[in-house]
Structures are given as structure tokens and as C-alpha cells.
Amino acid sequence: MRPFTVPTLCGLFATAMLAAGASAAELKDKATFEAIPNAKERAVAIFEEMGKVLQHPRCVNCHPVGDSPLQGEAMKVHEPPVQRGEANFGVTGMYCTVCHMSRNVEPAGVPGDPAWHLAPKSMAWEGKTLGEICHQIKDPEQNGGKDLKALHKHMAEDSLVGWGWHPGGDRAPVPGTQKQFGELVALWIEAGAECPSS
């Protein structure tokens, strides 16, 4: 009998939580928003489009309000039970990297990235309106000290953010591509980085 590896054992739990696959929806392109003459209205419309990504389970699952990550389309509490820990990487003996490797482990169904961890509590999006998320991500006191330029770099280039488009298994990816999303973030900043009212 072949011995089970840690990723395989973790995968047994993860497999039960995988949602049915679906092809990625599209994000509207730059031309759609250039037709909106008022810069504030254009910025709000762009951020609403960005919300298709930001409020998707792939993102919200790692931006929980509580101390446990969420899983699947239904955003249920992580199985096996794990805790955030002081640095958002889990607790001693059960760090995120015990199961989550530097890449997706397809045979086990376990997602992965070299920097796998939870977003800090100051960036919890679970249950928040799109307007509230917008104000959070713009606020350097909540977003880890990022100005808008650094925020764009994070959204457009960060590998863990990019995982949302390549989640592996039967997980539905977030809409569009990371490149398209980065272009929307840049367009939103250029239009004044306004937030939706709700």
C-alpha cells in the first residue's frame, strides 16, 4: 500500500469542498468605460466591474472576518479546522504551508502559492459592501501602507492574487484575467479612484 503524503491527506478534506467548475466570465474592457464622460461616474462603474473579482469566493475566502479561512463557492469554514495565527499564516504545528504548497497539488485537490496566507483582519471583505471594500483597499492604514501605485502593483502582479485566475481542481476562477483586472485597476485610479456609495 502506498503511503499518503500530507498534501494527499489535506486533499481528501479539500476535495469535499470543491465547487462545480465553470468557465471564467469576462470583464468589460477599457473602451466600455471610456464612453462614460463624467470621471467620478466612470471610476465608480470601473470599481463595480472590479467587484466581480473582489467579491468572488476565490478572493473573499482568504479575506474572512473571523480567524478561519473559508472554502468553496458556498464560502464555508475551512476543513480541516485551522486558525489565522498572529501573522496570518496559521498557528504552530498547523501553518498554511503544511497543506498548501508553492503551487496547486492537483492529485490531492489542494490549492497553493509560495505566499499562501490569509489577508490581515484589516482587509476582511466577508459581508462587506463593495463601497466598504473600496474604502478599505484605498486606506493605507488598513491595506498595509500601500498607496494607489503600490495597490495597482499588488492587484496586477501579486502571485497570490493571480491564483484566483488559476485555482486548479474544480474551482471556478474569478472573471477575466489578472492582466485585464490590472488594466481596470489602473483605469480606476486614472479616473480618480472613486468608490461606490454602497
Side-chain angles (χ1 to χ4, degrees):
M1 182 174 168
R2 223 172 66 186
F4 286 105
T5 63
V6 171
T8 302
L9 292 174
C10 294
L12 296 175
F13 291 105
T15 301
M17 300 305 294
L18 295 178
S23 60
E26 293 300 315
L27 290 173
K28 294 177 184 171
D29 64 10
K30 184 177 180 178
T32 304
F33 302 103
E34 288 175 338
I36 303 171
N38 180 286
K40 181 175 182 178
E41 291 173 7
R42 185 167 59 251
V44 169
I46 295 164
F47 199 85
E48 287 171 347
E49 188 68 7
M50 289 166 54
K52 291 179 181 178
V53 171
L54 299 172
Q55 292 183 307
H56 192 283
R58 293 295 78 72
C59 294
V60 176
N61 284 348
C62 291
H63 286 260
V65 171
D67 284 325
S68 293
L70 307 174
Q71 289 178 314
E73 299 301 310
M75 299 189 292
K76 294 182 179 181
V77 175
H78 191 286
E79 286 292 338
V82 294
Q83 292 295 306
R84 171 185 300 280
E86 288 183 28
N88 304 306
F89 283 91
V91 296
T92 302
M94 197 61 170
Y95 291 117
C96 301
T97 53
V98 167
C99 291
H100 298 279
M101 305 294 145
S102 61
R103 58 180 169 67
N104 295 336
V105 180
E106 295 299 340
V110 179
D113 180 85
W116 197 267
H117 67 283
L118 285 179
K121 278 193 169 182
S122 64
M123 289 302 292
W125 298 346
E126 180 189 3
K128 302 275 178 80
T129 68
L130 194 54
E132 289 170 328
I133 293 170
C134 181
H135 289 291
Q136 271 181 294
I137 68 171
K138 282 174 45 175
D139 182 0
E141 290 186 16
Q142 296 185 72
N143 74 13
K146 294 177 181 70
D147 61 11
L148 291 175
K149 182 178 178 182
L151 179 65
H152 172 258
K153 182 175 176 61
H154 173 69
M155 298 287 203
E157 299 177 20
D158 184 89
S159 69
L160 188 53
V161 172
W163 174 87
W165 286 275
H166 308 283
D170 293 332
R171 298 172 197 86
V174 295
T177 66
Q178 188 171 20
K179 181 177 187 287
Q180 291 171 319
F181 185 64
E183 289 168 356
L184 285 180
V185 175
L187 197 62
W188 170 66
I189 293 169
E190 183 183 305
E194 297 287 341
C195 292
S197 58
S198 59

